[in-house]
Amino acid sequence: MKAITMILLTVFLGKGCSQEAKNDLASATIEYVANTRGFYQKITIQNQKVYLNSDRNSNKLGDSKDISDADWKALVGSFETIELESLPTLKDPTQKRFYDGAAIAYLKINYKDKEYRTTEFDHGFPPVEIETLVKKVVSFGEQE
């Protein structure tokens, strides 16, 4: 009887944790910005919607699109692997932005009333630790 109780308890707790992770991303705001002198792209993800803005002088979120369930699951999976506290210390793999070889980019995540922001890196070449998440976020801007 104790064994059955332990198995059921483990199953229920395991399902509760995975649902909590989805709720965590639902309560987070992800913002990706890439820009140079002639290029600006801001992608904001909030509440299973993506907002695209290409006007650097605008304070608005931009045009919105719904995120499909499959894309949302991929984002949740990527978001779960990130250690938010380590974002400011991630190392950029390339420095093409120093000679106009790539746009300057950064990732910012607002989560539980706290802001986590990476240092600047080259657009298209994010730090390895956040590469999956960044590529998924950037793909929403390429779907137009």
Side-chain angles (χ1 to χ4, degrees), residues 37-90:
R37 284 175 265 177
F39 169 76
Y40 181 81
Q41 180 181 46
K42 181 178 179 182
I43 303 169
T44 306
I45 296 176
Q46 191 175 42
N47 298 329
Q48 206 164 348
K49 286 189 179 283
V50 62
Y51 300 90
L52 304 172
N53 187 352
S54 59
D55 181 6
R56 76 178 74 232
N57 297 319
S58 175
N59 291 330
K60 297 181 181 181
L61 286 175
D63 299 331
S64 71
K65 295 190 294 187
D66 290 330
I67 298 174
S68 71
D69 289 337
D71 286 337
W72 186 251
K73 284 182 182 180
L75 278 172
V76 168
S78 298
F79 186 74
E80 288 174 349
T81 63
I82 293 176
E83 294 196 29
L84 296 174
E85 297 292 335
S86 70
L87 283 183
T89 62
L90 298 179

Side-chain angles (χ1 to χ4, degrees), residues 16-142:
C17 292
S18 65
Q19 182 63 33
E20 182 178 321
K22 290 179 185 177
N23 291 337
D24 287 344
L25 181 57
S27 64
T29 300
I30 299 173
E31 182 179 292
Y32 177 83
V33 177
N35 70 80
T36 61
R37 284 175 265 177
F39 169 76
Y40 181 81
Q41 180 181 46
K42 181 178 179 182
I43 303 169
T44 306
I45 296 176
Q46 191 175 42
N47 298 329
Q48 206 164 348
K49 286 189 179 283
V50 62
Y51 300 90
L52 304 172
N53 187 352
S54 59
D55 181 6
R56 76 178 74 232
N57 297 319
S58 175
N59 291 330
K60 297 181 181 181
L61 286 175
D63 299 331
S64 71
K65 295 190 294 187
D66 290 330
I67 298 174
S68 71
D69 289 337
D71 286 337
W72 186 251
K73 284 182 182 180
L75 278 172
V76 168
S78 298
F79 186 74
E80 288 174 349
T81 63
I82 293 176
E83 294 196 29
L84 296 174
E85 297 292 335
S86 70
L87 283 183
T89 62
L90 298 179
K91 180 84 173 109
D92 55 336
T94 60
Q95 289 81 35
K96 294 180 180 185
R97 66 193 177 282
F98 294 148
Y99 57 86
D100 290 339
I104 300 168
Y106 67 86
L107 179 74
K108 182 169 66 171
I109 298 174
N110 290 316
Y111 180 67
K112 292 190 178 180
D113 297 327
K114 189 168 182 188
E115 180 177 292
Y116 304 92
R117 187 181 188 278
T118 64
T119 57
E120 294 176 341
F121 55 87
D122 295 342
H123 176 57
F125 302 94
V128 176
E129 297 86 350
I130 60 171
E131 183 174 15
T132 306
L133 178 68
V134 169
K135 286 189 176 193
K136 189 64 182 170
V137 169
V138 170
S139 73
F140 293 120
E142 296 169 350

